Each structure stands twice: as structure tokens, then as C-alpha cells.
């Protein structure tokens, strides 16, 4: 477990450093920003994190960071493969990352042919995550009211209640 943690931490930090270098940010400024981000808990208003334990989510974030680097370096095929793998490792990461990356590529006015290739490769490499999700949904029993009440009020209130977050954090997020 510790070997996995350290490896994923290194990969995530390397991905963040490479992203900063893509925008010609000095190394010291990237290191300071990443250090500050880690010091404030990696999130402004919720309990989300990239660097902590070793689980599928952390591997997905490493794939996502390197996918963004590949897109920034105009290597859309590699970026699409890594984006699909991010979804496969942790669909919750992929469910927000894939549309966000797609919108970013649209904003960058990537050629339609390249967008189609990215979409196809992303879908192909997302299949290991999509197929089990579909299978689980087809065989799953719907959650009861009590199940949802437990999730919303006890297990993960920070994911469902906007008033759980600090007002200052919400203001900072709004300015961002």
C-alpha cells in the first residue's frame, strides 16, 4: 500500500509540475502553488483530494493530469487514452473530467476530425469502467429512502449539502 501511495503521489506531483511548465510558470512558483494547495487541504470547499491514500481515485487523477499534459502538448491521441483510463480507474473522476476536457478541446477549436478521434479513443479506453457500471445498474436493486437518508446525512453530507461548506470558501470559489 505504501509503495502505491508514494508512486501515485510522485505521479500526481509530476503531472502538476508538468502542467505548470506547459504555461511557462517558473519552477519555484509551481512548487509554491502546489505546496500551498497541499497545505490548505487540496480543496477550497469540500473534502476532495488527489494526494492522500492509495485507491483507484488517486490513479485516475494521475491519468487525468497526464492526459491534460498530452492535450496541452497537442498529442490528443495520448491524452484521450489517458482520459479514458482515468474514467476506467474511477468513473466518478471520469464523469466530470471527460466532459470538462471535451469542452476545453471545443474551446480550443480542435478540428472535428481530431475531436472525433479523441471521443472514440476516450470511449474505447473508458469501456473497462463503463461495462461494469452498466452491468451493476442492470442488476442493482434501487436504494431505499433510508439508504439515501443515511448517505446524505451521515456518510457523505459534504457531497450533498452546500451549507456544509464554509461561507468564506464559497466566496473564494466564486471569485475563482
Amino acid at each position: 500500500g505504501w509503495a502505491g501511495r508514494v508512486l501515485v503521489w510522485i505521479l500526481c506531483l509530476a503531472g502538476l509540475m508538468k502542467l505548470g511548465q506547459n504555461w511557462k510558470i517558473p519552477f519555484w512558483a509551481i512548487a509554491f502553488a502546489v505546496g500551498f494547495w497541499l497545505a490548505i487541504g487540496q480543496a477550497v470547499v469540500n473534502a476532495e483530494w488527489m494526494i492522500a491514500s492509495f485507491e483507484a481515485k488517486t490513479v485516475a487523477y494521475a491519468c487525468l493530469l497526464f492526459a491534460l499534459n498530452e492535450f496541452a502538448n497537442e498529442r490528443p491521441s495520448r491524452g484521450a487514452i489517458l482520459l479514458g483510463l482515468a474514467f476506467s480507474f474511477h468513473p466518478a473522476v471520469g464523469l466530470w473530467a471527460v466532459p470538462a476536457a471535451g469542452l476545453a478541446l471545443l474551446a480550443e477549436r480542435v478540428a472535428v476530425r481530431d475531436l472525433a478521434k479523441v471521443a472514440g479513443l476516450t470511449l474505447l479506453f473508458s469501456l473497462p469502467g463503463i461495462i461494469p457500471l452498466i452491468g451493476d445498474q442492470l442488476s442493482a436493486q434501487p436504494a431505499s429512502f433510508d439508504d439515501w437518508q443515511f448517505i446524505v446525512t451521515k456518510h457523505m453530507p459534504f457531497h450533498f449539502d452546500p451549507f456544509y461548506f464554509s461561507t468564506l470558501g464559497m466566496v473564494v470559489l466564486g471569485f475563482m
Side-chain angles (χ1 to χ4, degrees):
W2 274 103
R5 277 186 186 94
V6 172
L7 176 63
V8 171
W9 294 346
I10 290 169
L11 287 172
C12 284
L13 291 172
L16 289 166
M17 298 302 281
K18 286 175 123 343
L19 274 175
Q21 290 171 337
N22 281 328
W23 289 292
K24 310 288 189 269
I25 299 171
F27 181 82
W28 68 266
I30 301 167
F32 176 80
V34 170
F36 181 73
W37 172 72
L38 289 169
I40 65 167
Q42 303 177 56
V44 177
V45 296
N46 67 7
E48 188 59 29
W49 46 265
M50 279 187 195
I51 300 170
S53 66
F54 178 55
E55 58 185 80
K57 176 172 78 168
T58 58
V59 177
Y61 277 126
C63 290
L64 172 60
L65 291 170
F66 281 96
L68 295 175
N69 278 302
E70 294 301 326
F71 289 133
N73 289 317
E74 297 180 3
R75 293 188 292 255
S77 295
R78 289 184 193 178
I81 290 167
L82 287 163
L83 191 59
L85 290 174
F87 186 99
S88 286
F89 276 105
H90 201 281
V93 171
L95 282 171
W96 69 262
V98 171
L103 287 172
L105 291 171
L106 284 172
E108 286 294 314
R109 297 193 172 114
V110 172
V112 173
R113 183 175 55 92
D114 289 337
L115 277 176
K117 186 176 180 180
V118 165
L121 283 170
T122 300
L123 177 63
L124 178 66
F125 283 86
S126 294
L127 286 176
I130 292 171
I131 292 169
L133 280 179
I134 292 171
D136 289 348
Q137 291 304 313
L138 294 175
S139 64
Q141 296 292 328
S144 70
F145 177 79
D146 290 337
D147 292 338
W148 279 111
Q149 187 176 22
F150 170 75
I151 289 171
V152 170
T153 60
K154 303 284 190 253
H155 185 60
M156 291 192 257
F158 50 88
H159 280 303
F160 298 100
D161 182 4
F163 299 107
Y164 180 85
F165 308 124
S166 75
T167 305
L168 177 61
M170 294 297 278
V171 170
V172 168
L173 186 63
F175 279 115
M176 290 170 65

